[in-house]
Amino acid sequence: MPLGKKVRSSSASGRLETQHVTSILSELGTTGGRTRKTSGLGCPGEKVTDEYSASRRVGVSEDRKEQPEWLVRELLKQNRRRHSVTLGDKAQIMRQHHHSIESTHSLKIDEKISLDNLQKLKLAFEEIEMGGLRSIDVKNFGRIVKKCLGFPNTSNAQIQGLFKKIDYSGQGRISWGELCTHMLQEYKEKEETARRSKQVAFTLPATIKPLCHSIPIINIHSTSDGTIITVREDGAVCYWSPELKPQRTKHMFNEGPANRKSKWASDFTLMTEYNKLMIGTGDREIQLYELSTLEPYCQINTLDTVPLTLDYGYTGPDKCCILYGDTEGCVNIILVSSVGDTLRLWNKLPKIENMPNVAIDNAVLSPSVTFVRWKVHQDWVTQAKYFPSFQAVISSSNEEASSLVIGCVLPLTDAEQQLREIREACYEGKTKKVQLSWTPQLRASCDQTVFTIYKGVKTFDLCQKHSLLVTGGMDRIIRMWNPHFSGKPTGILKGHSAPIIYLCISSGDSQIFSVSIDSTVKIWDIQDQCCLFTADPNATGINGDISTCSYSPALKSLYTAADCIAVMSLKIRPQLCSHLNVSHNEPVMCCGYSEEFRQVVSCTEGSVVKVWDFDTGRQVFEFGGTHDLSSITCMTFDPKGRRLVTGGRDGCLKIWNFNNGQCLKTLKKDGECHEVCDCIFLKVHRNSYVMSVGRDRKIDIYSDIPEDPHHIQRPQRSWQDDLKNGHKGDILCVTHCPPSLLATSSYNGEIIVWNVVSGRIQTRFVSPLPAEHQNVKGLDTSVPSMIFLKNSKLQQFSSATALLSSGAMGCINLWNVLSGGKFMSSFKASRFQQKITKLAKTEKDTLYAADKIGYIYVYDMKTFALDAEQKPPRAENFWRAHTSRVTGLQIVDNDQVVLTSSMDFTVRLWSAHGEFIGTFGQYESWCVHISSSWMHPAVPYEVLIDPLSIPDHEILKVKTCLSDAINPNKTKADMEELRLETHTKLRLPPTSISDKDIEED
């Protein structure tokens, strides 16, 4: 939608005013000029703009891709057709089932609204307000949407869905203001999500290597193998490892006669293709050294001016370009063909001060050498570079009139002159040769593009992929240009407080790195034109004025030289194996299902909340993740399923409209707050409340009044029984049994059952220890999960209410809540004695239990017979769903599926029998009611390869030693003794089921 897109006036005016400007790059026939359109901010081209748009539509990416194979197969089955598909069949099938399948993938209504549509909607709402109504119901809203937006075919379900998202409180009416708030909030969160996906930072402080001298480093370059090369002004060349460990140092200017005058280096560069290091000197020389040995190779001397800035470009097979800028504002270009032969010839010339020498006047006499000198600026050249992709030379100076110039290497010639030169070469044997002339030539206006910039340019960079030129200088502003047009910049980046001395575009990451003379480093995003990261000198630890910088895209590191040499490496996000599907990039703390929207919501340790489409597994929305939000520890929905309540480590509860990321209320106590461990919504006498428990060991109760205008809400007064006789340990879990029972459990194993009407304790229990672990110290007795069993058919209960709670060593305890309360019995649910972390049940009294290592167990509660004399219940089914602690478990009865989440970064969906449907966020979508779309019979790859999933087998239990291989002469008795010793040792429980386990059952 246009409203969600940032528009900069400078971009628009720049685009309008520069359409008539002729570009030297266009005439040079560059690849970027031919293939890229120049509309849009930064003129990044159509491809970049499309990628950006796609990244901002969360949950809509990849929706236009080809339909999955399972869908085609199912549709053929429904039509009773053959199982081979022709192109015609496929097109017809897609048309027939467009509404049923594609509707979930298509753009939402609010994503299709344009600015004109929005104006029509506003007028329609105003007409209704003039009639005396300040809000409308869903019927009138649907009529307005279809009429004003021109979407007559929009389904009523889509309109009702949008209406419910706006009407989060369930009032049944919405206003124009609420519609605008919803849309603005949604787009704000989408922008924040896009920004969060681009988060980048350096590892700080920087790795610093002190320098034992005060001589400045003139430049830094890196080789293909990661070696960092620096050259000092006195000619000392240093090789460093990527971590700045010194490897080699050599003084290049101290090997001549002792009485020679001192020499200084002005700049250096690398001729990678020819394994040479090139240094420009104050004696008007360009010296070449072997890159591997640093032995002198040859030099070009008697230049007319000092080469202030030096650059090298590979222009083709055995061809290169050497260029340098000087103090007279000239760009000097030496074009060399047959480079290998030419350099070998120069290497055999007479030596001057132990260096083979060739004067520039003699060098250009060779047919393989061409020299051109362009008069470009009226001030010193601050930087000069050759860009092979553009076949152009770019130079800059501090002069405003010609701050930056993009020009050709050789003069461009017209067609008639080219034909004449071809005729002379073919018939008369003449070849074109540019004669040496120290008199600077002026380029024709058609041979160059001039950029006029306030206070000139000290540094620049050019990127072909994004068709982007960036400049920086004394005015502390970074300007972004379309290199084809010099009228106005397409973007301006402000933030530096000192002159900018270094710029680098990382095309692969779509980022700009900038450094100012005060040692401040910034990273900018190209598409959003915003600052992603700033490191000031206090954070980096770099002191002094920076003399030079270099960013290595291969090493993802920025090297700087000041009073010290330093490196700052980007923090690299861990790359998961391509076989692994994850829902989040961090541990998932909880998840839940909203029946109202058929959506799944999951929350993470980093306070990121994602909303998923239950029917396909696609991401719908995302919000949170900002640094001011604490880690989320628990969540619940309101009774209507339209609002989300989350609890955090900061002791606060937040109520959200999870469809647009708007925080509706913050619930917190006065004074010090402790972590919230669990929260629920409950209704008492038609009044709604939010209740939370946690590490403050008290029950906090908040009234739920959606129309209350106060954003921050305080809890009601605590129950007297809670203050005097409540829990002594951290409260981990709370559960409600309508109409009046409430149970809370704590870290020390205590369970208290409350009457929510009176606020008094009805009964309290202490979780018993298994008989075989009565005297074990440090045993985990916490109760992280409980559920009430109301109207159950358990044989032992005369009353209608029972309570199940997790116990020690993987047990589940059963309590009689009424009649004074009584412990009935306990049974081992986890076969591996792991803590049961989550409990859930179906409407038909089927119990699901999840443990600490990711297993799910299924029990039929109708068969429970928990008298001490009888056998404990047996699991009807069990499977390993995750590789880590299960943090969320919910049964969706209407669809007969199980929803789980875990600390292993995943949220998954399973059939009631444990068949793997899929991981939310995986590449392929699914349909809950079409089993052929499920991942079953496959299992999650990470579960399959996890070491704890190795089958339990006798041969895997035998401990082997290196001595067995060294001494193969052990007797049979020795081996039997070793086997018996191994089997008598206490071993960890297996994490998969063996034949022996099944026989024992």
Side-chain angles (χ1 to χ4, degrees), residues 309-326:
T309 174
L310 194 62
D311 193 40
Y312 157 84
Y314 181 74
T315 58
D318 210 21
K319 294 180 181 179
C320 76
C321 167
I322 300 170
L323 69 146
Y324 63 92
D326 58 28

Side-chain angles (χ1 to χ4, degrees), residues 471-485:
T471 61
M474 296 296 294
D475 66 348
R476 302 165 294 175
I477 294 175
I478 299 172
R479 292 174 173 85
M480 304 171 67
W481 305 83
N482 181 340
H484 300 275
F485 304 108

Side-chain angles (χ1 to χ4, degrees), residues 347-368:
N347 179 248
K348 303 201 179 287
L349 294 175
K351 295 182 179 180
I352 296 179
E353 297 180 353
N354 199 35
M355 174 80 78
N357 181 79
V358 58
I360 185 65
D361 305 55
N362 297 326
V364 297
L365 296 177
S366 169
S368 60

Side-chain angles (χ1 to χ4, degrees), residues 479-599:
R479 292 174 173 85
M480 304 171 67
W481 305 83
N482 181 340
H484 300 275
F485 304 108
S486 60
K488 280 193 175 182
T490 57
I492 290 178
L493 308 177
K494 295 182 179 180
H496 281 286
S497 56
I500 298 164
I501 59 170
Y502 179 75
L503 287 171
C504 177
I505 300 175
S506 176
S507 59
D509 300 319
S510 297
Q511 293 167 352
I512 300 170
F513 294 82
S514 64
V515 183
S516 56
I517 200 168
D518 63 351
S519 304
T520 298
V521 180
K522 288 181 178 288
I523 305 175
W524 311 81
D525 181 73
I526 291 176
Q527 281 83 9
D528 285 349
Q529 299 184 10
C530 64
C531 184
L532 301 176
F533 177 79
T534 300
D536 58 27
N538 293 330
T540 61
I542 301 172
N543 299 315
D545 291 342
I546 291 182
S547 60
T548 186
C549 306
S550 178
Y551 176 73
S552 171
L555 300 174
K556 302 284 186 184
S557 299
L558 177 68
Y559 294 86
T560 62
D563 294 345
C564 57
I565 184 169
V567 58
M568 290 178 285
S569 300
L570 286 178
K571 293 180 179 179
I572 307 298
R573 292 179 179 177
Q575 297 294 321
L576 297 172
C577 175
S578 59
H579 297 288
L580 304 183
N581 292 314
V582 295
S583 308
H584 290 267
N585 295 321
E586 54 201 352
V588 183
M589 304 302 291
C590 48
C591 71
Y593 170 70
S594 169
E595 187 175 358
E596 182 79 356
F597 298 108
R598 287 189 68 81
Q599 290 176 342

Side-chain angles (χ1 to χ4, degrees), residues 125-180:
F125 270 90
E126 288 177 349
E127 287 180 8
I128 293 176
E129 289 180 0
M130 291 174 64
L133 295 175
R134 300 192 61 84
S135 59
I136 61 174
D137 57 16
V138 65
K139 183 178 179 181
N140 287 322
F141 178 69
R143 179 178 55 81
I144 289 176
V145 167
K146 291 184 178 181
K147 176 183 176 182
C148 297
L149 305 187
F151 303 151
N153 297 326
T154 302
S155 67
N156 290 329
Q158 284 183 305
I159 295 174
Q160 290 174 3
L162 177 59
F163 185 89
K164 290 177 182 177
K165 291 176 182 179
I166 301 170
D167 180 30
Y168 57 82
S169 59
Q171 301 296 321
R173 306 185 71 87
I174 63 172
S175 65
W176 167 248
E178 290 172 335
L179 172 62
C180 292

Side-chain angles (χ1 to χ4, degrees), residues 687-729:
N687 296 320
S688 295
Y689 301 92
V690 179
M691 185 173 289
S692 67
V693 296
R695 301 200 180 276
D696 62 353
R697 305 177 182 182
K698 295 290 180 288
I699 301 173
D700 296 321
I701 306 172
Y702 301 85
S703 298
D704 177 39
I705 308 173
E707 56 272 14
D708 185 350
H710 297 93
H711 181 76
I712 296 179
Q713 187 174 329
R714 305 299 178 186
Q716 296 182 353
R717 293 180 60 183
S718 298
W719 295 333
Q720 288 300 311
D721 248 10
D722 186 23
L723 295 174
K724 296 178 181 178
N725 305 310
H727 286 279
K728 306 302 180 186

